[in-house]
Amino acid sequence: MVLWSQTILELRSHLATYRRQPEYKIGLVPTMGALHQGHLSLIKRAIAENDAVVVSIFVNPLQFSPTEDLINYPRQLEQDLELCRQLGVDLVFAPEPGEMNSSGNTKALNNMTAVIPPQSMTEVLCGKYRPNHFTGVATIITKLLNLIQPDRAYFGQKDAQQLAIIHRLVRDLNIPVAIVACPIVRETSGLALSSRNQYLAPAQKQEAAKIYRSLRQAELAFRQGELKTEILVNLVKQELSQAEGVKIQYVELVDPISLKPIKEIEQTGLLAIAAHVGSTRLIDNIVLQKHQPIIAIDGPAGAGKSTVTRRLAHKLDLLYLDTGAMYRAVTWLAMESGVAIDNERVIADLVENIDLKLTSPNGAELPTVVHVNGQEVTNAIRTPEVTANVSAIAAQSAVREKLVKMQQQWGEQGGLIAEGRDIGTNVFPNAELKVYLTASAAERARRRWQDLQNQGREDINIQQLEQDIQQRDERDSNRAIAPLKKADDAIELITDNLTVDEVINKIVEFYQQL
Ligand code: PAF
């Protein structure tokens, strides 16, 4: 049964039991209840990424104006608790309004200390029509973050303005939490899920679905090269002029981080809309992003590719596609399932059905967090035993095909850095920057030995490591499928005498010249 606390005292005592365990990660999903699939996607992600998950349910009076739907806002605590229980949430914090104010007086909530986001972020989009809304949100979110002190907090991209403001809030006030943005969940009609969709009659829902269709129309024009705000915004308005049931409140194109209005898209723009369908106010948005460069890092095992790639991803704000971790994950799964490493048929089945999830870690120094079929295997995939089998697995065509397809899908938007054996030759042959990172076998053995020593493995023989590395190079270069090979247009970097920082700085220079 999910634990449910209504008071701060109870909340604190539950949290104290989690905190007794060092390294325990806590995820927070703040909600106003009336949970739908959108919330559930945040909760599932939080569960996958943390040791304990707290869901808060609080219909926050501070973020409603007197003319809004505070009284009628859907409340369904029993049902929400049951959903949380089914998903495996550890704790639901569902306070009454009085509990959230130090004086314990519901009415006094309006009188509490407020957290006021920068005016430039609240005078646009919804803020124009909901004057104190974001102060109400920022105040309550600050309070929840202080109370729960989660490692990660999860918010939906549907409330893009709220998300940008919360990002700014935790930066400005140095609140030690990672804000995790989660994609919008939609009905098959395209309608973005919202607790307020409950207010819509079936015919109104059909009308409401036109909101997303209009955004997609603008996206299409953008993909075909249209960058001007005026034209993109007008496309949305034109499209919706044919939807009688939809009354636009605003359509704006702004910078997704600062929320400042833009005249045209340089790299990325947030196209956001609010509209009424009947008396229900709905919001939706789409992020229009130009294809950003892809960096492909290839090279033999142990050349420092993964450290360099991870740090570069952090430095250049690119997505890190850790393909090595993907092959390791399949290797781990085969070993865990007791399948012989050369049983290609059974391994093909395993990989076909694998539910593989990679998440960026909180720091540049940490390995990619990996889940296989719901189980966290971040460390389990990095043992010497997995290392010994990974290249045999990576040479199997079914494994290769499936994982390459996944990688290419993730790469469609660009803006990523990936490392492996065939990233520049096979996975992303059109990558804007290709680097072939290499070092002598002796140097790579020395680095690997050092790593293992640092992990407390003192039983490792350095000559043996060097031999293993040479054999692995040999296998990787000569295998039939996706052999290790420098792409013709790759820049070769030999790292024997370079520090990691020097390697990174060189690649940053190449990137800046693109
Ligand atoms: O998005 C919401 O449901 C609310 O604004 C939030 C973040 C829970 C704050 O009350």
Side-chain angles (χ1 to χ4, degrees), residues 278-344:
S279 55
T280 305
R281 184 176 179 278
L282 300 171
I283 57 171
D284 201 349
N285 68 77
I286 200 161
V287 176
L288 303 176
Q289 182 144 24
K290 279 195 195 164
H291 178 86
Q292 286 182 304
I294 290 182
I295 307 183
I297 310 264
D298 286 306
K305 295 191 304 289
S306 69
T307 310
V308 165
T309 306
R310 238 183 356 246
R311 293 231 212 133
L312 275 168
H314 205 68
K315 197 162 176 142
L316 299 172
D317 203 15
L318 297 170
L319 204 80
Y320 172 31
L321 180 56
D322 188 347
T323 60
M326 296 171 76
Y327 289 105
R328 283 176 175 276
V330 175
T331 309
W332 172 85
L333 181 61
M335 290 166 72
E336 184 72 8
S337 315
V339 180
I341 294 301
D342 58 358
N343 192 341
E344 294 202 17

Side-chain angles (χ1 to χ4, degrees), residues 30-32 39 58 60 63 133 137 140-141 155 159 162 166:
T31 80
M32 298 207 300
H39 295 114
F58 180 58
N60 170 26
Q63 64 191 72
H133 173 74
V137 171
I140 232 61
I141 289 299
F155 295 89
D159 297 288
Q162 166 173 289
I166 291 169

